[in-house]
Amino acid sequence: MYTDTDRCVRAVQSKDARFDGWFFTAVRTTGIYCRPSCPAVPPKVENMTFLPSAAACQQAGFRACKRCRPDTSPGSPEWNARADAVARAMRLIQDGVVDREGVPGLAARLGYSTRQVERQLNAELGAGPLALARAQRAQTARLLIETSALPMGDVAFAAGFSSIRTFNETVREVFALAPGELRLRAEKANRHVPEVPGTISLRLPYRAPLNPDNLFGHLAATAVPGVEEWRAGAYRRTLRLPYGTGVVALTPGPDHIGCRLALTDLRDLTIAISRCRWMLDLDADPEAVDAQLRADPLLTPLVDKAPGRRVPRTVDAAEFAVRAVLGQQVSTAAARTHAARLVTSYGEAVADPDPEGGLTHLFPSPQALAALDPESLALPASRRTTLTTLVGALADGSLPLGVDSDWDAARARLNALPGFGPWTTEVIAMRALGDPDAFLPSDLGVRRAARELGLPSTPAALTARAAGWRPWRAYAVQYLWATDAHPINHLPV
């Protein structure tokens, strides 16, 4: 429970959407919980209780508001800004680890006992890992009920429920509606929306502002042919998922990101959504980031010109690490060419659900790349060694990279590999591991922008100046890069 009730009350009374996902308002007299920006008339202060998660509200017996749909709030930005055990646990739960491996599997990944994980999550979120995973299953079930014509039995198992009875009970308890009633309401609300067979369409919420230029521009400009493409105003790519494969199309909108998913196994829906949100950095808190960066007068004009820049990430940390090595000291076009050759030779073929689309492969896994012949690579000998050593470490598990990585430990492992300098390590920390404070003072584009702005341009001096930008230096890099005319900074036409 939150004790800073005055601040929470002010957010609820002003219907401030910036606090959606930070906390939830449970109303004792109605048994309903809402997001802070709920359009309904705010309840009396004495009837409000503030809880840190939807799971905590559900565990306390509250059901979701039908007007503001609090289960669809953006996730708390805390889990992106921290690398402690609780934050890593939340990222793993969002990635479906509890459903696939249970609480013991979650604890093993974190290096703690199940009792310690339960205690830490309950202390900070008011709910344990099972309750948090249950809340996520309920949200997935609602999405499938409302966006697909699947039979309810298929929805139940695709959402991760062990039985149809548990599915029915959970949906009734969380949403105060039976699954059939949820579908009927959705059909009435969306009766004019055309459906595309075999796909699931949904909206990904975010905290405003969001500047899509560098976010989608970066993904499109660096897209690997066959794996990614920009088509008809959407970024599309293939996905390797725990139960199968998928193709996603992401379209920037004024108040949400349009997401269209085609999956070979619907059990991957929750994981696919989580990875797309992670890639687009949708759970960031742009108000906090931009306020910190505006404190530097030389950055203020950049932030004011285009606030809400996000860090473009990746859906697969191992994939990005390989691509970072391929991109060492070469142009964006050359890096794409090298990556495309690996995809053609070692990637797994997939079918594009769009007959006019150009997606043909998954990016090759580390295990597949472990079989590559270094002599076949059109790279300098030293970079061949760097790539093969990296791939070997990823394939045998000695270099674990993912949303649950300890940022400092991952940096130490990367720095121990041959050919890994500060730039490669930091760009992986920034875009693959999600460290919001990763910094690239030696990057040519960063140094050029710093010089033009009147900032120090040598790595040591720039690092010293950037101390005031912490813990958001990765976002400062996005603003500095944006001063260049490079295609990564612009939405494709």
Side-chain angles (χ1 to χ4, degrees):
M1 183 183 301
Y2 278 96
T3 56
D4 187 1
T5 56
D6 289 342
R7 186 182 184 193
C8 293
V9 167
R10 289 196 300 271
V12 171
Q13 291 179 338
S14 62
K15 305 184 186 301
D16 195 333
R18 293 176 302 171
F19 292 91
D20 288 354
W22 276 104
F23 69 87
F24 296 84
T25 307
V27 186
R28 289 189 289 269
T29 51
T30 62
I32 291 172
Y33 74 94
C34 303
R35 61 170 79 196
S37 65
C38 181
V41 176
K44 293 181 179 180
V45 174
E46 59 266 27
N47 295 331
M48 297 184 200
T49 298
F50 303 106
L51 297 170
S53 66
C57 295
Q58 294 168 19
Q59 192 164 266
F62 295 92
R63 66 182 186 275
C65 174
K66 296 175 184 176
R67 291 192 66 181
C68 69
R69 304 175 71 140
D71 60 306
T72 63
S73 299
S76 172
E78 283 193 82
W79 317 134
N80 283 351
R82 292 163 42 181
D84 56 25
V86 171
R88 292 163 58 208
M90 285 302 297
R91 293 199 288 267
L92 284 170
I93 291 170
Q94 291 166 358
D95 202 48
V97 167
V98 171
D99 289 334
R100 298 194 304 274
E101 304 174 20
V103 179
L106 173 68
R109 289 195 180 215
L110 296 171
Y112 290 91
S113 68
T114 56
R115 183 177 178 182
Q116 287 174 307
V117 173
E118 292 268 6
R119 178 180 55 80
Q120 292 185 54
L121 288 174
N122 271 297
E124 193 157 341
L125 286 143
L130 288 177
L132 291 162
R134 175 180 178 268
Q136 185 164 274
R137 284 195 293 274
Q139 182 183 0
T140 303
R142 183 188 60 74
L143 283 171
L144 286 171
I145 290 169
E146 295 181 344
T147 62
S148 76
L150 286 174
M152 292 302 176
D154 293 345
V155 170
F157 293 115
F161 289 95
S162 58
S163 70
I164 296 177
R165 179 180 177 181
T166 304
F167 160 72
N168 286 327
E169 290 176 349
T170 300
V171 171
R172 284 181 178 274
E173 181 181 332
V174 173
F175 303 111
L177 290 169
E181 293 173 308
L182 268 180
R183 176 163 286 173
L184 184 61
R185 284 167 57 97
E187 288 173 350
K188 289 180 179 179
N190 301 312
R191 57 184 179 273
H192 299 302
V193 178
E195 293 187 2
V196 178
T199 66
I200 295 172
S201 297
L202 57 142
R203 295 183 171 196
L204 304 182
Y206 57 76
R207 290 178 187 82
L210 180 143
N211 188 312
D213 294 0
N214 75 300
L215 181 60
F216 285 91
H218 207 127
L219 295 172
T222 60
V224 176
V227 175
E228 305 165 282
E229 68 174 1
W230 180 268
R231 178 178 293 277
Y235 166 75
R236 305 178 71 242
R237 73 155 291 151
T238 59
L239 303 170
R240 183 188 305 279
L241 299 163
Y243 297 106
T245 64
V247 171
V248 64
L250 297 163
T251 308
D255 58 359
H256 68 275
I257 301 296
C259 176
R260 180 167 287 177
L261 281 160
L263 304 172
T264 59
D265 192 318
L266 285 176
R267 290 177 295 175
D268 285 322
L269 177 62
T270 300
I271 300 114
I273 294 171
S274 174
R275 293 185 182 178
C276 290
R277 293 191 63 83
W278 171 263
M279 177 174 63
L280 300 181
D281 196 14
L282 296 186
D283 292 324
D285 183 356
E287 295 281 349
V289 172
D290 290 352
Q292 181 75 16
L293 298 183
R294 280 192 181 101
D296 189 319
L298 295 181
L299 289 185
T300 300
L302 298 183
V303 178
D304 290 343
K305 180 181 178 182
R309 293 195 182 275
R310 300 299 207 269
V311 177
R313 296 181 183 157
T314 179
V315 293
D316 188 320
E319 171 190 319
F320 184 81
V322 171
R323 292 172 62 172
V325 170
L326 295 176
Q328 288 178 336
Q329 300 178 348
V330 298
S331 67
T332 300
R336 294 179 65 208
T337 299
H338 291 314
R341 289 171 180 165
L342 291 183
V343 167
T344 302
S345 299
Y346 301 98
E348 179 183 338
V350 295
D352 192 330
D354 184 345
E356 297 182 359
L359 303 182
T360 58
H361 290 80
L362 298 173
F363 194 87
S365 67
Q367 290 73 22
L369 290 176
L372 66 81
D373 177 10
E375 298 300 321
S376 66
L377 301 174
L379 298 171
S382 60
R383 195 148 325 129
R384 293 180 195 169
T385 301
T386 300
L387 181 62
T388 54
T389 304
L390 169 66
V391 167
L394 292 170
D396 65 20
S398 60
L399 178 62
L401 296 179
V403 295
D404 59 319
S405 294
D406 179 289
W407 296 331
D408 292 336
R411 279 184 172 91
R413 292 191 181 99
L414 289 168
N415 284 327
L417 298 177
F420 270 74
W423 183 91
T424 308
T425 298
E426 287 300 304
V427 79
I428 292 172
M430 177 192 295
R431 297 193 56 201
L433 307 183
D435 184 353
D437 202 40
F439 193 47
L440 307 172
S442 62
D443 179 83
L444 182 60
V446 169
R447 294 179 64 188
R448 182 165 54 235
R451 184 166 52 250
E452 292 175 356
L453 291 171
L455 292 164
S457 59
T458 62
L462 185 56
T463 299
R465 173 63 179 262
W469 307 342
R470 306 191 76 166
W472 311 117
R473 293 184 300 177
Y475 294 87
V477 169
Q478 307 309 313
Y479 282 106
L480 291 172
W481 273 342
T483 62
D484 195 283
H486 195 283
I488 64 169
N489 294 313
H490 307 284
L491 276 175
V493 177

